[in-house]
Amino acid sequence: SQQGEEDPQALSIQEGENATMNCSYKTSINNLQWYRQNSGRGLVHLILIRSNEREKHSGRLRVTLDTSKKSSSLLITASRAADTASYFCATDAGTGGFKTIFGAGTRLFVKA
Amino acid sequence: EPEVTQTPSHQVTQMGQEVILRCVPISNHLYFYWYRQILGQKVEFLVSFYNNEISEKSEIFDDQFSVERPDGSNFTLKIRSTKLEDSAMYFCASRIQGLRGEVFGPGTRLTVL
């Protein structure tokens, strides 16, 4: 089964606008993470939210988690051209960190 | 800031050959991972390693694959007999104890001809 499916698959916005990406998953989790990837390079960890948390902030990032709906969202406020990248959600599939399952990702393009 | 490093950055090999991809995780990290990403597709979990043994592995990680931490600093992924479909970016990652995100290396691009 697919774990961590993001939508939209692609998002194009103007600099200064907010970008919202959503993720759904199927199995129980201990935590959910969001990563960024620039053009096939290594992934950069953005934020981790535990299953007993509902919202978390880090700078311009806001992540929500709804375990009843098995979904999460990533909001990037006041986007910049440098935010152009692919964003992936990833879950531990209940393994407590021994297995990280990534979604297909959202490709974000921020136009200057 | 500490980094995960991977060598080589690009490896070209003939089908059926063995390859070893090398990673140096961050020194105080305890959990180690290998992932692969076929061009344009999602990042796929291969294997995790903790306390000198495999913790979890995916269905992709069959008998052709093995991992080793030979000397306390390197973490290697060996593919015994490469196939065309093994062509992908291979990422190593490591994580410190506790609920933290993984730190990824820059990847090795493996091309099997």
Side-chain angles (χ1 to χ4, degrees), chain B residues 73-112:
Chain B
S73 61
N74 291 283
F75 181 49
T76 62
L77 174 70
K78 183 193 290 186
I79 309 174
R80 267 180 262 285
S81 178
T82 50
K83 307 180 192 116
L84 295 176
E85 54 265 36
D86 293 328
S87 294
M89 279 289 282
Y90 287 80
F91 293 105
C92 171
S94 68
R95 180 170 68 85
I96 202 167
Q97 184 84 308
L99 260 183
R100 307 283 184 88
E102 295 161 39
V103 179
F104 278 74
T108 292
R109 180 170 297 284
L110 176 66
T111 302
V112 182

Side-chain angles (χ1 to χ4, degrees), chain B residues 22-56:
Chain B
R22 301 179 193 281
C23 169
V24 179
I26 294 173
S27 60
N28 62 341
H29 284 194
L30 300 177
Y31 302 82
F32 312 108
Y33 308 81
W34 282 101
Y35 298 87
R36 79 173 185 192
Q37 185 178 35
I38 295 169
L39 187 63
Q41 298 188 25
K42 67 163 92 175
V43 176
E44 298 175 292
F45 170 82
L46 293 178
V47 66
S48 61
F49 194 85
Y50 171 72
N51 205 24
N52 287 318
E53 61 183 18
I54 290 174
S55 306
E56 292 275 349

Side-chain angles (χ1 to χ4, degrees), chain A residues 38-99:
Chain A
N38 289 81
S39 299
R41 301 181 61 166
L43 287 87
V44 175
H45 181 257
L46 296 176
I47 198 163
L48 180 151
I49 186 165
R50 302 177 191 212
S51 59
N52 62 354
E53 295 177 310
R54 292 294 165 259
E55 189 170 309
K56 203 160 181 180
H57 297 252
S58 176
R60 293 185 295 114
L61 307 179
R62 173 179 168 250
V63 167
T64 63
L65 179 64
D66 186 336
T67 52
S68 67
K69 294 181 180 175
K70 290 188 166 61
S71 67
S72 173
S73 68
L74 170 68
L75 168 68
I76 304 174
T77 60
S79 62
R80 305 165 184 166
D83 294 327
T84 294
S86 291
Y87 291 83
F88 296 88
C89 74
T91 67
D92 72 328
T95 64
F98 289 111
K99 185 174 185 177

Side-chain angles (χ1 to χ4, degrees), chain B residues 61-81:
Chain B
F61 194 88
D62 61 22
D63 292 344
Q64 292 297 312
F65 292 87
S66 62
V67 289
E68 263 194 336
R69 188 157 161 79
D71 56 13
S73 61
N74 291 283
F75 181 49
T76 62
L77 174 70
K78 183 193 290 186
I79 309 174
R80 267 180 262 285
S81 178

